[in-house]
Amino acid sequence: MNILLLFFLFISIVVFVLAGYDKYLARKNKRRIPENTLFFLEAIGGTIGLLLAMILFNHKTSKTSFIVKFSAILLIQIALIYLKLTHKI
């Protein structure tokens, strides 16, 4: 269990840094990190890191499609955690 928590912490840190770097690139009008990369890292456990980056850097918070996709992944994760805790999967 501890290894899983360390994995989630590591992925959250990675996606947080990448989202911050993406915000920096956006301000400099340079080539950006693909949204699918951020979503993949969120899906494998970096939800908290991406959420913190969105809040602290005000990153992608006005882009509706990003918010919808972020929320969909979050809801799927919540459903999976619920199913796991209730021993249905």
Side-chain angles (χ1 to χ4, degrees), residues 8-9 11-20 23 42 46-61 66 70 74:
F8 288 145
L9 177 64
I11 293 299
S12 287
I13 290 169
V14 168
V15 74
F16 178 82
V17 170
L18 279 178
K23 180 68 173 190
E42 176 197 4
T47 304
I48 293 173
L50 187 55
L51 180 62
L52 287 174
M54 289 170 63
I55 292 168
L56 293 176
F57 304 133
N58 197 30
H59 187 53
K60 305 263 188 194
T61 54
F66 190 89
F70 174 86
L74 178 61

Side-chain angles (χ1 to χ4, degrees), residues 4 7-8 11-12 14-16 18 34-51 54 66 69-81:
L4 188 60
F7 173 77
F8 288 145
I11 293 299
S12 287
V14 168
V15 74
F16 178 82
L18 279 178
E35 285 183 1
N36 286 339
T37 301
L38 298 175
F39 289 136
F40 172 73
L41 292 171
E42 176 197 4
I44 63 169
T47 304
I48 293 173
L50 187 55
L51 180 62
M54 289 170 63
F66 190 89
K69 292 173 187 172
F70 174 86
S71 299
I73 292 170
L74 178 61
L75 290 174
I76 290 168
Q77 289 174 334
I78 290 170
L80 290 173
I81 290 168

